[in-house]
């Protein structure tokens, strides 16, 4: 996959880097304070996709958007893509357990593998991996910068946690 554009978007979590190919949004990363990548664009199509993603992220953080409507270009195994697709069905303000997702992708004994796929999600927030909890409803890890503290902030924004 060749990334064709990169945009930095401010957010309540810190700066967010979003990257795209001409086919869709391919990467999102919450940046550590010390990381300052330079924006670039070699494709008008990818640049327009990033502008739309930035607008939708702002709306999400302003509590004016509950889901994203963006073209995605996600690279992963067939199993990972199935899990990521399932995450897209978790509504704003709702959560699901790893085991529930495993059952939804016809792998009921694969909760740990689902955890690996969730952790490998290349576009957190847009593909809402923060909405996945342990079987007891307990917060589990979060692979994005800030870990569980970031997951907590996102779930608070959505009204899941106080």
């Amino acid at each position: 996959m060749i990334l064709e554009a990169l945009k930095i978007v401010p957010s309540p979590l810190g700066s967010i880097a979003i990257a795209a190919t001409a086919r869709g949004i391919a990467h999102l990363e919450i940046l550590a304070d010390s990381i300052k990548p330079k924006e670039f664009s070699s494709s008008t199509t990818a640049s327009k996709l990033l502008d739309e993603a930035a607008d939708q992220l702002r709306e999400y953080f302003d509590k004016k958007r509950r889901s994203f409507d963006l073209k995605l270009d996600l690279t992963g195994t067939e199993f990972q893509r199935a899990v990521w697709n399932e995450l897209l069905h978790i509504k704003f303000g709702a959560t699901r357990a790893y085991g529930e997702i495993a059952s939804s992708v016809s792998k009921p004994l694969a909760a740990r593998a689902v955890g690996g796929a969730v952790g490998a999600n290349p576009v957190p927030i847009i593909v809402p991996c923060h909405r996945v909890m342990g079987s007891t409803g307990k917060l589990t890890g979060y692979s994005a910068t800030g870990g569980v503290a970031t997951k907590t902030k996102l779930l608070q924004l959505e009204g899941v946690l106080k």
Side-chain angles (χ1 to χ4, degrees), residues 81-109:
R81 289 190 314 272
V83 168
W84 300 334
N85 186 58
E86 195 60 34
L87 298 181
L88 290 169
H89 298 290
I90 307 172
K91 301 223 181 279
F92 182 97
T95 62
R96 303 245 327 263
Y98 293 96
E100 290 176 284
I101 293 168
S103 292
S104 294
V105 296
S106 302
K107 302 281 186 187
L109 301 177

Side-chain angles (χ1 to χ4, degrees), residues 3 18 31 43 52 55 83-84 87 99 102 114 123 127-128 140 142 148:
L3 297 176
I18 315 166
L31 301 173
S43 160
E52 182 60 29
D55 289 344
V83 168
W84 300 334
L87 298 181
V114 165
V123 289
V127 174
T140 54
Y142 191 59
V148 173

